[in-house]
Amino acid sequence: MKQQLVQYFQELTSQSYKLIDFLKLSSDVIPLQELLPDLSNQLASLKTSMINNYKHLNRPQYDWSEAQTEVGVGLNSIGMLSDRLSTLIIKEWCLRNKNNPNPEKANDLYQTHTMDIIHALANARPGSSSMNTKITHHKSDVTANSWEEAFYGLLSTNIVNWESQEILYVKDITTLPCEELRRYIAWFSFGNIQRNEYIQYCEELYWH
């Protein structure tokens, strides 16, 4: 079963690369007021087809109802590992395609970090670490009805989060107008709440 799951998560990773290939993320920093609607609309339009692609991977079936929540799972829960996998997928794509492509570094990332997470996913057991989120009264309107939809939502959210944070690493944010800074702060708060909810959906729906 483990080897089947390793292969499944490798195929899930490959399908996810294709999504980012289609999006063709820009190497330039795009203002948030342009980035959010454009990228969000693209991801929304691709949602149904990508979820169907994920479902066609035929995740190995197992009587997950027999899997009991275990003490000692820590951060190696499906929800938290899915979050890490989605981030590594984005990072590898950027290493291959954005400014100054570095395929050697991208290959090393996949062989060391991504494959390590894939094996951890294949060995995962139900846990509670996905509940480790900020205490807040804010809620997003995200929902998911399947594991595949939850993973797509998490990947999509992390893509938008990744792209919106580019400005923090390539520009001096102290030079930004106050109103623009407010927009970034508001989005980072909302984006992280949305991310946390998808992590929880990934954890719950994988086992049901």
Side-chain angles (χ1 to χ4, degrees):
M1 174 62 75
K2 179 189 173 182
Q3 190 52 45
Q4 289 176 300
L5 285 168
V6 167
Q7 184 176 352
Y8 166 75
F9 283 112
Q10 285 179 297
E11 292 173 352
L12 184 78
T13 298
S14 296
Q15 281 293 331
S16 300
Y17 289 147
K18 293 177 183 177
L19 168 66
I20 309 178
D21 272 335
F22 190 87
L23 294 171
K24 291 183 170 55
L25 302 178
S26 175
S27 294
D28 299 323
V29 176
I30 301 173
L32 193 67
Q33 62 268 31
E34 297 176 26
L35 174 73
L36 280 183
D38 180 55
L39 194 51
S40 297
N41 287 338
Q42 287 188 72
L43 288 164
S45 69
L46 294 166
K47 179 178 178 178
T48 300
S49 61
M50 278 301 301
I51 290 172
N52 285 335
N53 289 344
Y54 285 158
K55 288 182 176 180
H56 288 153
L57 297 177
N58 294 320
R59 180 161 62 100
Q61 295 303 303
Y62 173 75
D63 187 359
W64 304 113
S65 63
E66 296 180 0
Q68 301 296 317
T69 300
E70 298 180 11
V71 176
V73 172
L75 295 178
N76 280 346
S77 66
I78 286 292
M80 299 299 284
L81 290 168
S82 296
D83 181 57
R84 182 61 180 155
L85 178 64
S86 66
T87 302
L88 288 170
I89 289 168
I90 299 164
K91 183 175 182 179
E92 183 185 338
W93 188 93
C94 290
L95 284 171
R96 294 188 189 281
N97 296 279
K98 284 204 173 187
N99 289 332
N100 304 313
N102 191 332
E104 183 177 346
K105 192 171 182 178
N107 290 338
D108 183 63
L109 180 75
Y110 180 82
Q111 293 300 331
T112 55
H113 298 283
T114 304
M115 282 305 300
D116 185 52
I117 294 297
I118 284 173
H119 278 272
L121 280 160
N123 285 317
R125 292 293 178 267
S128 58
S129 61
S130 54
M131 297 298 292
N132 292 342
T133 58
K134 289 286 186 183
I135 298 173
T136 176
H137 65 274
H138 296 298
K139 287 282 186 181
S140 73
D141 58 356
V142 304
T143 185
N145 296 305
S146 67
W147 145 253
E148 292 83 4
E149 184 177 3
F151 184 80
Y152 181 81
L154 180 58
L155 175 62
S156 298
T157 299
N158 279 339
I159 289 172
V160 180
N161 281 344
W162 181 285
E163 288 299 285
S164 64
Q165 290 175 25
E166 286 287 89
I167 195 168
L168 301 178
Y169 303 100
V170 299
K171 283 194 173 184
D172 181 2
I173 63 170
T174 62
T175 64
L176 294 177
C178 291
E179 192 58 38
E180 190 168 353
L181 281 173
R182 288 193 188 96
R183 281 196 289 266
Y184 278 104
I185 293 169
W187 163 250
F188 293 152
S189 172
F190 176 81
N192 277 318
I193 290 170
Q194 186 168 286
R195 167 179 164 265
N196 289 336
E197 291 185 13
Y198 275 125
I199 288 173
Q200 185 64 30
Y201 274 123
C202 282
E203 179 67 30
E204 293 174 356
L205 293 170
Y206 183 85
W207 302 111
H208 295 91

